[in-house]
């Protein structure tokens, strides 16, 4: 038995019956992160997330090279969900698309245990690298990943500009 704070989890493949509820939860989760990170209206972020999910999982649970799991603790309770997949044109790298830990299970080591289970899954597939993206402002996830040896590769940044500009403001010195 694992000690408190160091749980052991198992990954169970998600069923067709579980997929619709997970999809809605994943949409809410992703949209909230996009909205928080970019300042985008939550409704617009939800539509953006819905379009992205339809593109990345076109066949839903049956999408090739995508693996969706329910995270199970030692007492056989569902404590989260994990979405793993392949990186196009790179057979050596696995991609962690999403990890969601139930609110009541957060802060008890389930995120770390789930990440370790993801790494074991990829090792069993002969992957030598794991990649993932983290939304800006998700400091808890950044701290977890850094503590596990994940390093930032790049940083994407954006700024929303307010309102149209006068042509002379866009190209100073140019006559309208």
């Amino acid at each position: 038995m694992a000690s408190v704070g160091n749980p052991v989890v198992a990954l169970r493949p998600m069923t067709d019956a579980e997929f619709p509820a997970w999809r809605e939860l994943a949409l809410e989760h992703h949209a909230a992160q996009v909205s928080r990170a970019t300042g985008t209206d939550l409704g617009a972020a939800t539509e953006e997330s819905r379009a992205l999910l339809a593109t990345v999982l076109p066949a839903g649970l049956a999408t090739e090279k995508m693996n969706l799991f329910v995270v199970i603790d030692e007492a056989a309770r569902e404590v989260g969900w994990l979405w793993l997949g392949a990186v196009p044109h790179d057979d050596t790298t696995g991609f962690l698309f999403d990890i969601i830990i139930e609110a009541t299970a957060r802060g008890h080591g389930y995120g770390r245990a789930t990440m370790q289970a993801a790494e074991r899954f990829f090792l069993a597939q002969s992957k030598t690298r794991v990649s993932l993206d983290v939304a800006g402002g998700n400091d808890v996830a950044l701290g977890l990943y850094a503590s596990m040896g994940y390093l930032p590769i790049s940083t994407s940044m954006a700024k929303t500009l307010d309102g149209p500009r006068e042509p002379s403001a866009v190209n100073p010195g140019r006559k309208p």
Side-chain angles (χ1 to χ4, degrees), residues 70-91:
V70 177
V71 180
I72 307 294
D73 73 3
E74 292 173 311
R77 293 178 300 220
E78 296 178 3
V79 294
W81 301 268
L82 181 64
W83 174 11
L84 305 175
V87 174
H89 313 296
D90 182 354
D91 292 337

Side-chain angles (χ1 to χ4, degrees), residues 21-64:
W22 169 83
R23 181 183 55 227
E24 290 308 308
L25 179 65
L27 284 170
E28 290 175 17
H29 183 250
H30 186 264
Q33 288 186 10
V34 167
S35 179
R36 183 180 62 239
T38 65
T40 303
D41 171 73
L42 186 57
T46 299
E47 290 311 308
E48 177 184 323
S49 296
R50 190 174 308 284
L52 178 63
L53 192 61
T55 300
V56 179
L57 285 175
L61 195 55
T63 302
E64 279 189 50

